[in-house]
Amino acid sequence: MKRVNKKHYGKAVFQIFLLLSLTFSVSYLIRESSENVVIINYEKKNYDLEARLLGFVGKLIFGEGFVSALEVGDLQDGSNTCLLSKDGKICQEYIASECDSKCSETCIPTGKKNVASCKPGTCYNPVEGACSAGATQGACSANGGEWFDDPYENIQECREGCCLIGGQAKFLTEQQCNRQSQLLNIDKEFRPDVRTEIQCLDLGTIKEEGACVFEKEFERTCKFTDKSNCLKIKGDFYSGKLCSNPELDTICEPQKTTNCVDGKNEVYWFDSCGNRENIYSVPKAGSFKNGEVLSKIDSCTLSSGNNQLANANTCGNCNYLLGSTCGRVSDGEKVAVGDFICKDLSCIDESGVKREHGESWCSYQGTIGVDKQKNRAVDTPGSRHFRETCVNGEIEVNPCADYRNEICVESQIKIPSGEFSSAACRINRAQECLSYNFEGDKDDIDRSDKIKSKCEKNPDCFVKEVDVSDKFNFNICAPKYPSGFTREENGRGEGAEAICAIANQKCQYVKVKGLFSSKEVNKECLQPEFAEEMNDLCMSLGDCGSSVNYNGDYTSNYKITRTDNKDSASISQTYLNALLRYGDPIKGQYAEAGDLSDFYGELGIPGMLGTSEVPTDTTEGVVKMASLTSGMLGVTLMAANFLNIAIPGLTYSTGAVISTMPIAGSAGEISVVAANPGMMAAGGVLAGAAIGLGVVTMLLQFTGVGGGLPPAVTYTLMAAGAIGGALAGAAATASALTATGGTVGPLLGGLASAGPIGWIILVVVVIFIIILKILGIGKAKKVDVQFQCKIWEAPTGGTNCDECGKDGFPCSRYACQSLGQTCSIINENTREVACIDSNPNDVTPPVIKPWNDLITQGHSYNDISENGFKLESEQGCLKPYTQLVFGVSLNEPGRCMLASEDTDKFEDMTEDFGVSQLFRTNHTAIFPVPDLQSLGLQGYDPKLQEDYSLFLRCEDKSGNSNVKEYEINFCIGQADNFEAPIIQSREPNSEFLKFGVSSQKVDIYVNEPSECKWDVSDKEYILMGNDMICENDLEDQTIKGWKCSDKFPISNGAGNYYVRCKDQPWLANQIKSEDDESVYVDNPKANESKRNVNSESYLFSLKESVSELKIDPIVPNGQKLEFGVEPASVEVIVSTSGGMDGTAKCSYLIGGHQIDFVDTWKKTSKQVFQTLYPGNVNLPIVCEDLVGNKAEGEANFDIKLDVKAPSIARIYVESGNLKTVSDEKAQCVYSAEIPESGFSGCKYDFVNGTSMITNSEGRVHSTSFESAKTYYIKCKDEFGWTPGSNRCSAIVKRGTIA
Amino acid sequence: MGFINKKGQVAIFVIIAIVIVAIILAFMFYPKINIGGNSETGNPKSFIESCMKEDVNTLLDELSYNGGYEEPEGFIIYQGEKVPYFCYTSDSYETCIVQQPNVQGHFENEIERILKPSVESCVKDFKKEFESKGYSVSVSKAELNASFVPGKLKIELMSPMTLSKDTSRTYESFDYEFKSDLYDLMALATSIIDYESVYGDSETTLYLRYYPNIKIEKVRLDEGSKIYTISNFVSGERFRFASRSLVWPPGFEQ
């Protein structure tokens, strides 16, 4: 009978074990694998990022017990570079193990930045004059280009200016201008002083035009053109006059027709000869202006008030930038003369709002961002952000990157007619938000403030406050626009599950029996608000938890379990109704652009610094908007140790209300002070009071009664104990004084006389406490309420697949898959894309089989039938402490649930099966086999074993599940536990410590539950002086084992610490009280002799860093740097020494953000700042090594820009030589050719000039002088600035300076 | 007699006038009438130009829609067609590596390579036709040089040839110009690629400010690639290429 009871107890414990181990295996695996992040490889930037990403979501993939497609070595080895891939791409990096199969050449075992031919720079084509940024040296050379080691085109040859050629103005390099001039065989003027494209284009519109009058077939005709063309056709040029000008007496008659002009936006008059005249307007006389050219600015006004086209019928002065351009008049439009009119380029959006030409705005497929009232992120699974643009009267819809990897941000400015929106797709920094939670030193008391501060600075993050009760509340930095998850048939899934698992939290409800009523802590955790608060967090992390898809279809994806096996409160209907509304977009809602400058640096993307600024010009506003809103961003992904985040209020002690007071004095001390009767009397009373108080306090604590009493009763009992003790003490003191011949004073005598009363009080108090204990006062009942946040799953089936694309937005794979489990996209990237139900007639459940390829070595699947199998080891029963990995295979993707008892249908199954709850064909379970004794089955029979069965059902994507349960049977045998525990792992892994530390928190991981001790010298376990704190419960098991922790003192810069452990803590003489874990009680099952102890110590060595980390001089610092190209590129180099080994990660501070150098984790960290403008650059720099040594420095330098051509300061003739002195270092050339009629002698290119001899300082330039000649001199400085192709630095005309 | 003579003279004048009118009418209504020795047929430039004009236009249309490539090496299949990557990285979180730093030069080379056989064929046709008319035609090996300039594609055919019949005439090279706005489209493509390689993305609406006739379509694909189609809606020319830069992995894998 007793045996049967034990068995039932064991079964019950085992069920709890299953609940804890199998159900939450994922979360604890995640937790464990994310706790200790290894910095994998900082050699390469993207691997730095990926390493950090992996630290957060992927590291567990490479952790123990997992099978991965990638090898750990891939990360350690970094990446290989392939010069030409099999699919024709140059300079790509591939993971070491994959490189050979992808590369058409031999893979180079290093990152591409270490391969010379793959180094990005600027490729300059010396023939065409074109430049290409970011081109590799190899590709550049192969295409006949000249390669420069600056990937941002900040070189002289690529400096653009305004090329005025053939009546057009183009913003080109000088060589491009030359090349076009040469190919078109027409003259050009290159204006290097014009610095922006818009200024250049403006120059194109103000070129000198006029009437070119010539004779043709005995008639005086005319062509409206520029002077150079007129000279070619040998006409007479009349600048600023129209061909129909009466003064010119040509055959051309004015204003005969109207038309548009290629390259111009306005409607123009045309004369009878077909020449363009002034901008159309009526009355005609106004625009004819007596035959003079009328500029655009002096022409008619098209707009009136807020109406840009108010005068379109009489005025053709269209303005493209303001939303009008010339076009043929259409139905409904009226124009006074002709068939052409200024066409409205604005659009009407889907909401009926007028959008201006060039305006862009965001559209969404549901509510976005944070519901501030509910404090949760609400972007729905399957939804995407879109950017719409009004261009030339048509609306273009451009999707941002799917899975909300990009968000659409918008900014609005006031214009006369209302508001003008500018929108852009930019990278969503969602993953960065989560990473903030894992940053910083866990012991740093300001850590949570620092996290909050970072979170609030990132425009894509918000502080998610979880506030269930006053003992269960915490903050997490969460994304405002959570990323979506892909759904791959055989994807690993750990990344997504790891993110959702952040919301896997346990709330402990405690009920303590009181004297009059019970006390409850965290009772809200049993209410729906726990589920709702936790689901708010869950859905704010990604496509997690219970939510609706973008179509408004709801699925439930959370689970709450209670350790008392009672039903858990689920979310309310009101809560659910609020969720359903998120499927609808909110009119006028958009995401803010935010300041993302810190991101530029993270990915080595140009940004701006210090006081240096972009030069002001007319495009500034547009550029600023573009830089604010464009998606030029990246993200930092940090390693995680999430579950170590401080969550206040999660622990509760039933004894918390009882204060412990020091017990003063002792009997020995009393005898010492006997020489002074007064003192002795007072000491006796105090000692008695203290003893009485101590006894009552200990009793309250030991019995646990104190936790159930109101504070007033507790304090009353403690006071009674103190008074009783004082009276008893006084009596004892008086008795002692009398016995030694002393004198008893009146006060002491009075108190002494009440001595018996004191004893009575003490006895009564003790009896009262014992009675309370018998009544069960103070007994605590604890219930752990566990919330499990699952990945959001689409509804089963595929009835809504055809909804994809019906909302007017393009259908994507992500959107399609969110509509149903069997929805599949077809014809992707074609015009015939569609979302279909891939399995509309499926009525058969999945067939379950053991996954033969997956089982821990030494184990097998036996007795396999269609209804189940048996798991066995080579010895038959499963051996305790084995991490058994096994699995089942399905004939189609499905998800599986299990139960330890018979059930009727899939919905009745309570526990998830396997490490993933996603639809898979293969499901893996990790089963840490427990010890029978830990399950409560005592016995010393080596043949003791217990049989267990698990019942499995799996459901396919169409919702079909197996009717008959699939049984997994196994037995657990007695542990052959004659072996001492093994310490398997340690934290920190590195033996190096920060310089100047006085102690270090350490963890060790043991292969079985154990008690561990340490000492600074190697000695036996029993003699070791320091106990470690060990977590030995079943659920405390981690992948690395059971954890024991302590803090080691550090002295003299290093230390060796010896650790030994003793297993089977449940056999110890004393074990923790069930009621209060802080109290140890005698163990009725104690059997110390059965416990195994280490005979050898585990050596834990620690070593302090040799010195502080130091930043050696930063280059540049305190210098003035002069450049001829704007923006300038400057490489900042920071060298570090000291610390752990001199290597460090350096970062710079900008806009309150700390941004890592692109090339760091070395002794010399480098960062190129490539968009520096004139001004002062101040760059605070912080370097930190692997063990936390920090050093700070600063780079401060000035950027000076030389944009002027050199001037000639002096010209003279000396010894028959013409000498010029330039105001800066320069080279000078001259042309002494006699210019053609009508052309300036300065009209030659610098390269075609005759060189003058320059002295060593570069300032004096000379050539032989002939007084009959005219010298057209041009000088060029070291930055390539010259006066331009039509100008000279100086002209010496027959001996005189012109 | 005198009268008869006068009448005869008038008749002759009338006949001459009728002939002249007939010739004029024939030219007017049958402009393709080929009269040996006229300026058109006597000039190999015109013959070759009319011969290759259609090929050039077709070639420009086809090549430009494939980024100037006949058969791209590094490409993505989009709508069943190969679109070349001008900038590409297979990695995530990283800006792309420029795959084609000389977009214009490469396009010009492709035109020269593809057009050369058809131009050679045109030269052969010219030789054949003129030899059939009694000319002696001597041609050397043809070399092509294609260059884009604003508004035009210039093709220089270096094909020394000598035509002899009564007299002899030697030609060294021929220059052709075909209307095309691809120069501007390629300049924009290069600018976009500059942005892609430096910033990982480009803001195409900014170009509207400078180029009203240009339309830039950017299609984002799930795996991170972008397909750019730059078109001039006046000339109807299109230039298409792909880029993959600063890609975020497509969601966390489930």
Side-chain angles (χ1 to χ4, degrees), chain A residues 168-455:
Chain A
Q168 289 186 310
K170 285 188 176 289
F171 201 56
L172 302 171
T173 64
E174 188 166 9
Q175 177 55 25
Q176 279 178 312
C177 191
N178 292 339
R179 174 71 172 160
Q180 286 195 18
S181 170
Q182 179 195 342
L183 287 169
L184 296 168
N185 196 27
I186 50 177
D187 289 324
K188 54 92 172 99
E189 183 186 356
F190 184 71
R191 294 276 304 274
D193 55 314
V194 178
R195 308 267 295 280
T196 66
E197 187 158 12
I198 200 80
Q199 285 172 346
C200 178
L201 294 176
D202 284 346
L203 280 181
T205 63
I206 57 170
K207 64 180 184 289
E208 186 186 21
E209 288 181 309
C212 181
V213 181
F214 55 96
E215 292 281 329
K216 189 179 178 187
E217 293 172 358
F218 312 109
E219 285 184 320
R220 186 174 168 81
T221 188
C222 177
K223 185 172 181 179
F224 188 70
T225 185
D226 59 23
K227 190 176 179 181
S228 62
N229 274 333
C230 188
L231 289 172
K232 279 185 186 170
I233 56 177
K234 294 182 177 155
D236 297 326
F237 186 68
Y238 297 91
S239 179
K241 293 193 186 301
L242 301 177
C243 283
S244 56
N245 189 314
E247 293 173 9
L248 302 180
D249 192 27
T250 67
I251 58 168
C252 304
E253 294 174 32
Q255 298 183 330
K256 281 292 175 191
T257 57
T258 61
N259 209 334
C260 302
V261 175
D262 194 15
K264 293 183 180 291
N265 302 304
E266 301 82 7
V267 182
Y268 285 90
W269 285 113
F270 279 77
D271 66 19
S272 60
C273 300
N275 292 303
R276 172 166 60 84
E277 301 202 284
N278 290 330
I279 291 171
Y280 156 80
S281 74
V282 287
K284 289 181 174 182
S287 55
F288 186 59
K289 203 194 166 190
N290 297 320
E292 301 288 324
V293 170
L294 187 62
S295 67
K296 180 176 172 67
I297 200 162
D298 295 326
S299 298
C300 58
T301 306
L302 182 66
S303 63
S304 175
N306 291 339
N307 186 352
Q308 292 295 329
L309 295 166
N311 304 319
N313 62 331
T314 57
C315 178
N317 195 2
C318 325
N319 188 323
Y320 183 74
L321 294 178
L322 293 178
S324 63
T325 193
C326 177
R328 188 172 284 278
V329 70
S330 52
D331 293 344
E333 290 174 331
K334 283 183 181 170
V335 63
V337 178
D339 299 325
F340 295 88
I341 192 169
C342 287
K343 307 284 284 186
D344 186 3
L345 296 176
S346 64
C347 314
I348 304 294
D349 71 12
E350 60 282 356
S351 310
V353 176
K354 187 185 177 192
R355 300 289 187 171
E356 300 295 341
H357 163 65
E359 190 172 356
S360 54
W361 61 98
C362 293
S363 295
Y364 306 100
Q365 288 181 299
T367 311
I368 62 148
V370 175
D371 181 337
K372 285 182 181 161
Q373 205 180 347
K374 306 283 183 186
N375 187 234
R376 64 188 173 206
V378 300
D379 280 70
T380 52
S383 68
R384 191 174 190 173
H385 290 204
F386 295 87
R387 177 207 200 200
E388 298 193 45
T389 315
C390 173
V391 180
N392 296 330
E394 289 180 5
I395 294 176
E396 289 175 11
V397 180
N398 295 302
C400 301
D402 218 348
Y403 305 96
R404 295 182 298 284
N405 279 334
E406 281 185 340
I407 58 170
C408 183
V409 295
E410 193 174 317
S411 226
Q412 295 182 345
I413 53 167
K414 291 268 182 204
I415 57 170
S417 57
E419 283 186 328
F420 186 92
S421 302
S422 293
C425 293
R426 71 154 171 81
I427 281 169
N428 181 5
R429 298 168 65 183
Q431 293 149 20
E432 198 182 5
C433 308
L434 298 176
S435 75
Y436 294 151
N437 297 297
F438 317 120
E439 289 180 4
D441 187 346
K442 281 174 276 176
D443 297 330
D444 183 354
I445 54 169
D446 298 327
R447 182 168 173 254
S448 66
D449 287 341
K450 287 176 184 168
I451 291 171
K452 193 177 175 193
S453 165
K454 271 196 157 186
C455 191

Side-chain angles (χ1 to χ4, degrees), chain A residues 550-561:
Chain A
Y550 82 98
N551 197 42
D553 307 320
Y554 171 83
T555 58
S556 176
N557 301 286
Y558 75 95
K559 192 166 87 173
I560 296 183
T561 48

